[in-house]
Amino acid sequence: MSTLGRVLLPLLALLACQGDVVTSWTRTLRTNMLRESITMLDQLQKTEVSCNEMNVTNIFADDKRGDPRETLCKAATVARQGRSCHRSLEGIYDNLLGLLRGSRMEHKAPCPVAAGSTTSLKNFLKELHRELQEQYKSQK
């Protein structure tokens, strides 16, 4: 069999089942990112540092909370702002961006966050932890 045939045949086979394979892989990746982020947030909440009281925008203040992707996008913005405080926020920020990429977000993250009410970084991490746990439970 020629080299072209050896490359083309598996490619055609992958294209034939692409939807099922990609969907399953994307769901597994999303679940793993959620689980990893929840674990990192668990560890962060146990860490006492002076910047835990740093004020950040309270993206969870809105009781209506619409689109979960929008919430993740705004959370990425806040996590990016706090990266200098907690080294682990870099990983959470990266995971939030990965979760957004997996959901085919139309706009680029991080999203602009309107100035409004503020909360401590510690409370933001607690709320983000709760939000990610809810998303993880809804995955199953």
Side-chain angles (χ1 to χ4, degrees), residues 33 37 79 83 89-99 101:
M33 279 190 199
S37 296
R83 290 182 302 182
L89 278 174
E90 180 75 35
I92 291 169
Y93 171 73
D94 290 339
N95 280 358
L96 292 173
L97 291 181
L99 290 167
R101 281 187 210 107

Side-chain angles (χ1 to χ4, degrees), residues 21-78:
V21 171
V22 170
T23 301
S24 175
W25 182 80
T26 302
R27 183 178 176 145
T28 302
L29 181 63
R30 179 176 173 75
T31 302
N32 289 342
M33 279 190 199
L34 283 169
R35 190 178 316 127
E36 181 180 280
S37 296
I38 290 167
T39 301
M40 282 192 281
L41 285 166
D42 277 336
Q43 292 169 351
L44 267 174
Q45 290 180 57
K46 294 174 185 172
T47 306
E48 285 296 322
V49 292
S50 61
C51 60
N52 274 343
E53 299 307 316
M54 174 175 88
N55 283 334
V56 296
T57 305
N58 189 358
I59 63 167
F60 300 107
D62 184 12
D63 292 332
K64 297 176 187 176
R65 285 208 208 142
D67 185 8
R69 293 173 299 183
E70 186 72 26
T71 302
L72 289 178
C73 193
K74 289 178 179 179
T77 301
V78 176

